[in-house]
Amino acid sequence: MKKFLPIILLLILISSFKASAQISQGGLPPSFKTTLSAADIDNIILPSPDMQAVAAQDEEYLKTARPYRIGINIPVNATMENSGTWTDLPNHSGKIWRLKLHSAGASGLNIRFEDFFMPTGSKFYIYNESHTHVLGAFTEVNNNDDGSFATEVLQGETAILEYFQPSDVQAKARMALSNVAYIYRGMESYLKAIAGSGSCEVNIACSEGTNWQDEKKGVLLIETVISGGTFLCSGSVMNNTKGDCTPYVLLADHCSYDAAYASAADMNTWVFYFHYEATTCTGTAPSGVKSMTGCTLKAHDTYGSNNSGSDFYLVQLKTAIPASNNAYFNGWSRSTSPSSSGVGIHHPAGDIKKISTYTSALTSISVGGTGSHWEVTWAATTNGHGVTEGGSSGSPLFNSAGLVIGTLTGGTSYCTTPNDPDYYGKFAQHWTSNGTTSAKQLKPWLDPLNTNPTTLNGTYSCTSSIDETKKSETGISVYPNPTRGAVTVDFGAPVKGTAIFTVNDILGQQVRTIESGSALSTTLTIDLSGLKGGIYFIGITVDNRTVTRKVILQD
């Protein structure tokens, strides 16, 4: 049984004021500094869904194991030309355009645009009627090449859009709304600052998470949009053999399916939340959250549509992850040997980040195909008995080495049945077992160098894709590259004296030191055999100079 529960909004509390966690400039809308009222601006009344019919549909969804829906998407045809009210602000050297959207009974509203463009110098905000929740300021930094844009969920049943155009800005802004999501459930922690998941769950800030503080920084809360609905899953940022920080995110195939797969336009409005977690073991509200919007599909199987495959879905974020997000690109293992211990890190019920622990060996099981999944049973720990819930789907399962070995499909573990099993699609099956093309495999994306390693460590840092076989301005080159063991260091000319070589792995850990004799020729061979396949950096110190060369070691 797949388990999905609704998204919980990001909560950044400053007294009673909630500010945006998206990439934005902060600040307050200009109208807040005036006596202007929102009572006389253009007001669009959005139809509220038939909640009786929605409840009946949700009941049927449970029977057919579809995603847990949290919102109904309402089409909106509103632009700056056909809607809104302009008001001059002489004291602020500019003017504002405002538009009010209202849908009675909504717990929250999510605003999405099919065309969005902010001229340099202008600012855009979205806020609720009580002024207690403000998103923005959004600026030219938020412009996308395809014109798409989406916001985090705004609290309440009313949203006010406010665009500020300074008098010296002549370029024309564009805003064309595509839809507004009517969020009707799953906002308990946002509205009441209380836990939204079961009482047995364990915060990642508890002692159980002490050894997983790197890996957690790659686990995301993901708000997906599929046609007429809004849903929730978890996922992980993934490293690749280039180590270039391409923003790949791995989740479950069924996270993108509801009668049909999410379209490219839908995926432009998916929201990815980083660091949605409490800072204490007993905390209930997130702190320091970051978010990004939009992604493109790279590869997936068909588990969501026909229960066939290992249930994987790989996307690439539309922009690079900012350094300020402090994201960890999780490593992975495609080993088929059962892990004897490890953890799952996830967002049950869209709650703050939790950790579940297993201490007995995984079991191979057939769910979407022969041997497609790992079966895991969770263990009681010091601060609870972590399980999974709706919203955990797509989250990573880690082995004891901190490497991703699976993604959550579902199961029957709950706080009331903590010893029931859960099922994770095997990373090893995601690799090449779901089809022969790059659209059905992880390998082409996570192993672009085609080094075919069994494991790859995680990383915070990025490396360049420079061809290290070529000589640089220093005249020192390393070849063959990639290699299966030995490499030759070519100094470009005879060198006398001692040379010292230090070999570091992709995490910056020194794994080998080699010192040459006192008589060096033009070339010297270094043996890297015995090291695991992956990316290494050889520091070469000779003639009072040090250079670094990247080497790819193949298994």
Side-chain angles (χ1 to χ4, degrees), residues 287-464:
S287 177
V289 183
K290 305 284 187 179
S291 70
M292 297 178 66
T293 301
C295 64
T296 56
L297 174 62
K298 293 302 177 183
H300 74 117
D301 61 19
T302 58
Y303 187 90
S305 61
N306 61 14
N307 294 325
S308 177
S310 54
D311 199 13
F312 87 96
Y313 200 83
L314 184 73
V315 301
Q316 181 176 339
L317 301 184
K318 294 183 76 68
T319 57
I321 300 173
S324 59
N325 279 25
N326 193 28
Y328 186 72
F329 292 73
N330 273 311
W332 40 263
S333 171
R334 58 187 186 88
S335 171
T336 57
S337 299
S339 171
S340 59
S341 64
V343 302
I345 302 176
H346 53 111
H347 291 281
D351 205 350
I352 51 180
K353 197 167 294 178
K354 306 290 184 176
I355 185 168
S356 303
T357 303
Y358 66 96
T359 56
S360 57
L362 303 177
T363 301
S364 181
I365 189 171
S366 300
V367 176
T370 302
S372 61
H373 283 64
W374 293 119
E375 179 181 283
V376 60
T377 302
W378 306 112
T381 56
T382 302
N383 293 288
H385 193 143
V387 292
T388 66
E389 303 178 35
S392 301
S393 286
S395 62
L397 182 69
F398 295 92
N399 63 15
S400 59
L403 304 179
V404 174
I405 56 173
T407 51
L408 180 64
T409 291
T412 56
S413 75
Y414 293 94
C415 286
T416 53
T417 55
N419 295 314
D420 278 11
D422 284 330
Y423 307 103
Y424 285 77
K426 293 179 181 178
F427 190 93
Q429 292 287 114
H430 301 341
W431 197 247
T432 57
S433 298
N434 293 291
T436 59
T437 67
S438 61
K440 297 297 178 183
Q441 301 178 349
L442 280 187
K443 184 183 187 302
W445 311 100
L446 300 190
D447 183 23
L449 298 178
N450 199 31
T451 55
N452 208 36
T454 301
T455 63
L456 181 71
N457 289 329
T459 186
Y460 286 106
S461 61
C462 306
T463 61
S464 68

Side-chain angles (χ1 to χ4, degrees), residues 477-531:
S477 61
V478 177
Y479 61 86
N481 194 5
T483 180
R484 293 192 179 276
V487 294
T488 297
V489 179
D490 186 344
F491 296 98
V495 178
K496 295 182 178 180
T498 299
I500 298 175
F501 305 91
T502 56
V503 182
N504 295 330
D505 64 18
I506 198 169
L507 296 179
Q509 299 171 335
Q510 187 170 308
V511 295
R512 189 165 293 179
T513 300
I514 303 169
E515 185 172 334
S516 75
S518 59
L520 281 174
S521 61
T522 303
T523 62
L524 183 70
T525 298
I526 298 176
D527 187 7
L528 300 180
S529 61
L531 298 176

Side-chain angles (χ1 to χ4, degrees), residues 56 120 183 252 310 460 465 482 549:
T120 301
I183 305 300
S310 54
Y460 286 106
S465 57
R549 294 290 177 264

